[in-house]
């Protein structure tokens, strides 16, 4: 297909799809106006939802096609279809709710017809026929195409003198009206009947129409009906100037959408006042439509952020306006662009981390090494009438860990079967494990191992959790000696992301250490083992009594080591200890006994990172030293703050 033919095919498709999208908006606005009275409140709620979705749909379509003249590839058409589905579905759902209402009179029946039209249009815009790229020989519609909702470029406020259309079959009164309106400073065009007037209104820019009623071919009532049924002319104010002055005719004009009705002979000052009022209403309506369009475009941009498809600068045309919405668009783009930059930096760090893991050819982590002394399940065995064992992952002090298939959910999981003798020596263990499950379940995050359930089967207690094919950071440090700056930043940033979510749920981990950080082959880190975690709003829990020292001393902050109160900053101290060890291969306060560790904490900061790893930037070294401050008030105060600082030094 030649370039010219492709452009023609795209133009035909643009006309077809944009026509339907703009008409849906127009029909929704008319229906919303018709359901304004209080008795239609239930109807109006559904119509309002449809109108918001319709504006979003139109914005998606306008953005997809862009300026006229471009060529749209078939994969772009498929992408457009995917993007349209969500607002299209919302429109259909809203109109289906309306169609489920029971009509009580003729007005209700008419509203239902309008709702049915909107639903049919929404179904049509996603159909194969509408989104089909026309063939090279397709000449498009045989009839003159209907132009639909105008863009913001046609607003009254931006185009100089207002342009009026006079429609009257009598030449004398028509000329009088034209001269009078021209003397008032308006540009005026004229038509001899409703059909000619309709053609002019659809073809040219018209701000106000002054129309007679009694005309051949298409009288004033029919003219009004056609104007209000067309998306391109629906919002043009109409002033009826007619010798027909009976109440029935006046009421019908107003019901059909006329702004006002003046009886011939009319007062010129009154006509001028009516025209000015109509123009002001048109300006307000244009600004309202422009605002709704811009809101819809910003909403689409927000949805693109959610789908990770937003391109920086996409809302620059909205940000150019110096109003609250324009300022919001500028802030939106700046924040999202900054966030995307940070995400890209983190992805690069994780990629480098993943490469370092592959180069190290890791063996299984220490806590998964076989220790023996415990009965085992074999491949194919079914545990708890539900979990089909695939393989044994390892054994440790708590029990045996298996990789298994959950036969009910057809999903791979990890099953930890606990040692029976532990429950005899530690009667509170079950309660602590249940608490671990409860706390871990509150946190849903890619960097936290998901805990599923705690149960008992044939006297054996077990836990089920997300299966992660990974090694611990502890094992990685043992193999590498120390890790690169990029890998350390990837670990620290992902750990801080997990802690930020935990802290927002008022959960303090209290046992952050390399052995509790799992790393997959892709470089994604997972925090595990919430067995010592507490909720800040439940400090009096009998399992976490004040004064009890729990955790791993080498990574504990002083307040935790001394049995004092802990908070979010306690986890940040442990994060600093982990990052210090990643960069240096050494624990910042390493010693053989708790007493010696306490002495090192009291003596002051650890060995400077620069003396062990000179390649580490002073900014990163200073940040880690701040995390390891003795007093909580001297550390960073939140995981979110740590995330921002890590992005700055990365």
């Amino acid at each position: 297909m030649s370039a010219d033919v492709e452009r023609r095919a795209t133009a035909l498709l643009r006309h077809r799809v944009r026509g339907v999208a703009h008409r849906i908006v127009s029909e929704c606005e008319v229906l919303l106006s018709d359901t304004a009275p209080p008795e239609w409140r239930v109807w109006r709620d559904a119509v309002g939802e449809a109108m918001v979705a319709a504006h979003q749909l139109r914005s998606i379509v306008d953005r997809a096609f862009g300026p006229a003249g471009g060529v749209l590839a078939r994969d772009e058409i498929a992408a457009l279809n995917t993007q349209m589905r969500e607002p299209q579905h919302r429109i259909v759902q809203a109109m289906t709710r309306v169609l489920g209402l029971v009509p009580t009179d003729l007005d209700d029946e008419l509203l239902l017809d309008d709702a049915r039209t909107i639903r049919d249009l929404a179904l049509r815009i996603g159909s194969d026929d509408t989104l089909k790229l026309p063939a090279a020989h397709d000449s498009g519609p045989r009839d003159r195409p209907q132009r639909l909702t105008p863009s913001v470029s046609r607003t009254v406020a931006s185009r100089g003198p207002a342009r009026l259309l006079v429609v009257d079959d009598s030449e004398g009164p028509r000329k009088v009206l034209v001269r009078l309106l021209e003397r008032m400073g308006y540009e005026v065009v004229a038509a001899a009947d409703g059909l000619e007037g309709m053609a002019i209104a659809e073809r040219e820019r018209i701000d106000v129409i002054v129309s007679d009623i009694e005309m051949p071919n298409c009288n004033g009532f029919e003219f009004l009906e056609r104007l209000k049924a067309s998306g391109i002319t629906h919002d043009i104010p109409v002033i009826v100037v007619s010798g027909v002055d009976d109440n029935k005719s006046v009421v019908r004009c107003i019901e059909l959408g006329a702004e006002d009705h003046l009886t011939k002979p009319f007062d010129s000052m009154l006509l001028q006042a009516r025209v000015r009022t109509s123009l002001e209403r048109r300006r307000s309506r244009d600004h309202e439509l422009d605002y709704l369009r811009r809101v819809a475009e910003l909403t689409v941009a927000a949805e693109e952020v959610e789908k990770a498809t937003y391109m920086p600068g996409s809302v620059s045309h909205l940000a150019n306006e110096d109003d609250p919405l324009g300022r919001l668009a500028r802030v939106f783009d700046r924040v999202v662009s900054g966030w995307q930059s940070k995400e890209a930096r983190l992805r690069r760090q994780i990629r480098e981390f993943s490469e370092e893991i592959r180069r190290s050819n890791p063996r299984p982590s220490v806590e998964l090494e076989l220790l023996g002394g415990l009965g085992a399940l074999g491949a194919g065995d079914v545990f708890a009438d539900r979990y089909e064992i695939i393989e044994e992952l390892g054994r440790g002090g708590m029990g045996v860990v298996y990789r298994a298939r959950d036969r009910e959910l057809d999903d791979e999981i990890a099953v930890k079967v606990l040692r029976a003798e532990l429950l005899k020596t530690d009667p509170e263990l079950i309660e602590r494990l249940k608490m671990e499950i409860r706390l871990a379940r509150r946190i849903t995050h890619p960097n936290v191992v998901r805990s599923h359930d705690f149960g008992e089967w044939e006297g054996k207690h077990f836990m089920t959790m997300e299966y992660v094919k990974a090694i611990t950071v502890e094992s990685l440090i043992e193999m590498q000696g120390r890790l690169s700056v990029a890998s350390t930043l990837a670990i620290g940033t992902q750990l801080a992301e997990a802690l930020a979510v935990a802290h927002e749920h008022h959960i303090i981990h209290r046992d952050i250490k390399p052995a509790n950080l799992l790393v997959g082959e892709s470089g994604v880190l997972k925090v595990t083992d919430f067995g010592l975690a507490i909720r800040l709003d439940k400090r009096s829990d009998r399992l976490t009594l004040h004064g009890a020292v729990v955790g791993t001393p080498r990574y504990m902050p002083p307040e935790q080591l001394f049995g004092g109160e802990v908070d979010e900053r306690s986890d940040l101290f442990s994060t600093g200890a982990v990052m210090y060890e990643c960069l240096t291969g050494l624990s910042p306060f390493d010693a053989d006994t708790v007493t010696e560790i306490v002495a090192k904490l009291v003596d002051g900061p650890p060995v400077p990172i620069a003396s062990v790893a000179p390649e580490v930037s002073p900014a990163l070294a200073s940040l880690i030293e701040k995390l390891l401050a003795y007093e909580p008030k001297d550390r960073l105060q939140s995981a979110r703050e740590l995330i921002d600082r890590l992005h700055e030094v990365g």
Side-chain angles (χ1 to χ4, degrees), residues 6-190:
E6 285 183 334
R7 277 192 291 272
R8 176 175 175 77
T10 299
L12 292 172
L13 180 64
R14 178 187 294 108
H15 165 73
R16 183 187 300 158
V17 178
R18 290 183 75 247
V20 178
H22 283 249
R23 187 178 172 195
I24 291 173
V25 172
S26 176
E27 295 286 350
C28 285
E29 289 176 346
V30 172
L31 188 55
L32 189 66
S33 174
D34 290 342
T35 54
E39 61 267 27
W40 280 307
R41 182 181 60 81
V42 176
W43 302 57
R44 187 176 177 81
D45 290 343
V47 176
E49 293 175 18
M51 189 175 76
V52 172
H55 277 282
Q56 293 177 4
L57 180 68
R58 185 176 68 180
S59 179
I60 290 170
V61 171
D62 287 345
R63 181 179 296 184
F65 283 108
V71 175
L72 206 63
R74 295 184 184 275
D75 58 342
E76 292 175 313
I77 296 172
L80 171 60
N81 194 15
T82 300
Q83 293 173 23
M84 290 195 306
R85 283 176 189 164
E86 194 271 337
Q88 175 201 19
H89 179 65
R90 284 161 50 200
I91 296 169
V92 172
Q93 277 192 322
M95 292 300 96
T96 300
R97 291 207 309 273
V98 171
L99 291 171
L101 299 173
V102 178
T104 58
D105 53 28
L106 179 59
D107 288 336
D108 287 358
E109 293 282 1
L110 294 173
L111 291 177
L112 288 178
D113 285 340
D114 292 341
R116 191 173 294 105
T117 298
I118 294 171
R119 186 180 68 174
D120 292 343
L121 287 169
L123 291 171
R124 172 184 161 195
I125 198 170
S127 68
D128 292 338
D129 289 339
T130 306
L131 278 175
K132 179 182 178 183
L133 191 65
H137 61 273
D138 190 344
S139 61
R142 297 285 191 271
D143 299 325
R144 181 177 177 273
Q146 182 185 26
R147 296 172 60 199
L148 295 168
T149 305
S151 67
V152 66
S153 63
R154 295 189 57 186
T155 56
V156 178
S158 62
R159 58 193 182 204
R163 204 157 187 269
L164 276 60
L165 169 64
V166 173
V167 183
D168 196 319
D169 64 312
S170 299
E171 184 178 2
R174 185 171 67 245
K175 288 183 177 180
V176 169
L177 273 172
V178 169
R179 286 197 300 271
L180 176 61
L181 293 170
E182 285 178 339
R183 284 200 298 270
M184 294 178 184
Y186 303 118
E187 294 181 7
V188 186
V189 292

Side-chain angles (χ1 to χ4, degrees), residues 216-321:
N217 300 324
C218 177
N219 64 37
F221 299 128
E222 295 169 338
F223 181 42
L224 273 169
E225 287 179 327
R226 293 192 181 199
L227 286 170
K228 299 308 174 181
S230 170
I232 196 65
T233 60
H234 174 269
D235 292 312
I236 302 177
V238 179
I239 300 172
V240 174
V241 178
S242 173
V244 180
D245 62 351
D246 61 282
N247 287 340
K248 185 177 179 180
S249 297
V250 173
V251 169
R252 188 179 179 194
C253 286
I254 301 301
E255 287 179 341
L256 289 173
E259 292 288 318
D260 211 334
H261 184 288
L262 298 181
T263 304
K264 295 178 180 179
F266 57 86
D267 183 276
S268 60
M269 293 185 63
L270 182 59
L271 175 62
Q272 184 173 11
R274 294 291 192 265
V275 170
R276 286 178 177 172
T277 302
S278 297
L279 282 171
E280 187 57 40
R281 288 177 181 171
R282 177 69 191 274
R283 289 190 183 95
S284 298
R285 181 57 177 160
D286 283 342
H287 287 308
E288 180 186 359
L289 290 174
D290 179 35
Y291 186 84
L292 286 172
R293 178 191 62 80
R294 294 168 65 205
V295 169
E297 288 195 36
L298 199 54
T299 302
V300 170
E303 291 173 346
E304 290 174 351
V305 171
E306 187 177 29
K307 299 172 184 174
T309 60
Y310 178 79
M311 297 295 293
S314 295
V315 295
S316 58
H317 58 294
L318 303 179
N320 291 333
E321 299 293 332

Side-chain angles (χ1 to χ4, degrees), residues 316-351:
S316 58
H317 58 294
L318 303 179
N320 291 333
E321 299 293 332
D322 190 20
D323 62 1
L325 195 60
R327 291 192 290 273
L328 175 61
R330 289 194 290 273
V331 172
F332 175 88
D333 186 70
R334 186 167 60 249
V335 170
V336 174
S337 297
W339 170 76
Q340 288 180 331
S341 176
K342 293 177 181 178
E343 285 290 302
R345 190 182 302 116
L346 177 58
R347 283 195 297 271
R348 174 181 56 78
Q349 293 167 353
I350 292 176
R351 199 162 49 244

